[in-house]
Amino acid sequence: NAGVTQTPKFQVLKTGQSMTLQCAQDMNHEYMSWYRQDPGMGLRLIHYSVGAGITDQGEVPNGYNVSRSTTEDFPLRLLSAAPSQTSVYFCASSYSRSHEQFFGPGTRLTVL
Amino acid sequence: AQSVTQPDIHITVSEGASLELRCNYSYGATPYLFWYVQSPGQGLQLLLKYFSGDTLVQGIKGFEAEFKRSQSSFNLRKPSVHWSDAAEYFCAVGAGNKLSFGAGTTVTVRA
């Protein structure tokens, strides 16, 4: 099993550009989440999904969109990148809400 | 909504000494509690978790944590620290479908 994979590993954007961060898992997990990690702030939940076709907002959803068309994939879309979105983004998945979350290796995003 | 506080931003400990990392949470019921570790440039790895039952839980790498309902705490301990334990440690609280993380504690191990 590859576990949770994220692409790309690094990305530089200009303000106003859009892009999609990819996340995939091969563990047949129902729960998937996106977090951003900023120094001194821990991980903050952006969006999450409890199954295909079902998504909900987390703590910091503004400026981000998600969709969940399959169990395996949970892409995060930045609609119009802003410097405040410079961060490290982690995708995670788990079997259920009470189970351990498995994290991907992260995507380091810089917005100029 | 739940919240997590890790009071110590940075802890320095000598190799072989004991380590305790503090975690306090705010939630109306008994939450799911987790400790994760993150090595530099890496993702997060689960050390241990508490759902119910015995309030002292054992994890990987020799770590343990104790859930104290009266203090709303879930402190992480290790009796003897190794240099490889230098990392950032995150306490997390799960409630409903969401997981909330503390700001993290960075552990430095000196020889």
Side-chain angles (χ1 to χ4, degrees):
Chain A
N1 286 351
V4 180
T5 58
Q6 291 183 239
T7 56
K9 286 186 170 25
F10 301 94
Q11 183 70 49
V12 179
L13 292 177
K14 295 181 179 178
T15 296
Q17 287 184 315
S18 63
M19 82 159 294
T20 299
L21 306 185
Q22 301 292 342
C23 174
Q25 52 91 9
D26 60 0
M27 297 174 282
N28 202 32
H29 285 169
E30 291 294 328
Y31 286 71
M32 296 187 75
S33 307
W34 275 102
Y35 297 87
R36 59 177 291 173
Q37 184 178 28
D38 302 291
M41 303 190 75
L43 279 79
R44 292 181 291 169
L45 181 64
I46 304 172
H47 285 286
Y48 67 97
S49 170
V50 300
I54 307 170
T55 63
D56 205 349
Q57 295 181 350
E59 184 183 353
V60 288
N62 292 341
Y64 307 95
N65 272 1
V66 292
S67 60
R68 183 96 179 270
S69 57
T70 67
T71 299
E72 295 78 19
D73 301 299
F74 191 43
L76 178 72
R77 281 181 287 276
L78 280 70
L79 307 174
S80 177
S84 61
Q85 293 178 305
T86 293
S87 188
V88 180
Y89 291 84
F90 288 99
C91 178
S93 74
S94 63
Y95 178 70
S96 74
R97 66 187 179 105
S98 61
H99 283 70
E100 170 189 1
Q101 291 205 16
F102 292 84
F103 284 81
T107 294
R108 185 173 294 274
L109 175 68
T110 301
V111 183
L112 303 175
Chain B
Q2 71 271 27
S3 65
V4 184
T5 301
Q6 292 181 246
D8 304 304
I9 297 173
H10 189 205
I11 287 179
T12 298
V13 61
S14 298
E15 192 168 15
S18 64
L19 174 68
E20 182 168 13
L21 304 182
R22 296 183 290 166
C23 173
N24 294 100
Y25 69 90
S26 173
Y27 184 61
T30 300
Y32 306 123
L33 297 162
F34 305 84
W35 273 100
Y36 284 85
V37 61
Q38 184 181 33
S39 298
Q42 303 295 314
L44 279 73
Q45 180 184 22
L46 181 71
L47 286 175
L48 47 77
K49 59 188 177 185
Y50 173 79
F51 293 159
S52 64
D54 193 348
T55 56
L56 184 64
V57 293
Q58 303 296 323
I60 62 171
K61 304 185 180 185
F63 285 91
E64 67 177 26
E66 186 172 12
F67 169 60
K68 292 186 177 180
R69 184 190 306 273
S70 61
Q71 299 177 17
S72 297
S73 69
F74 188 56
N75 294 348
L76 182 72
R77 299 192 292 256
K78 185 169 185 177
S80 178
V81 168
H82 187 262
W83 63 266
S84 60
D85 294 321
E88 190 162 18
Y89 293 80
F90 293 95
C91 181
V93 173
N97 293 320
K98 300 180 182 179
L99 193 63
S100 297
F101 285 82
T105 298
T106 300
V107 173
T108 298
V109 181
R110 60 182 174 218

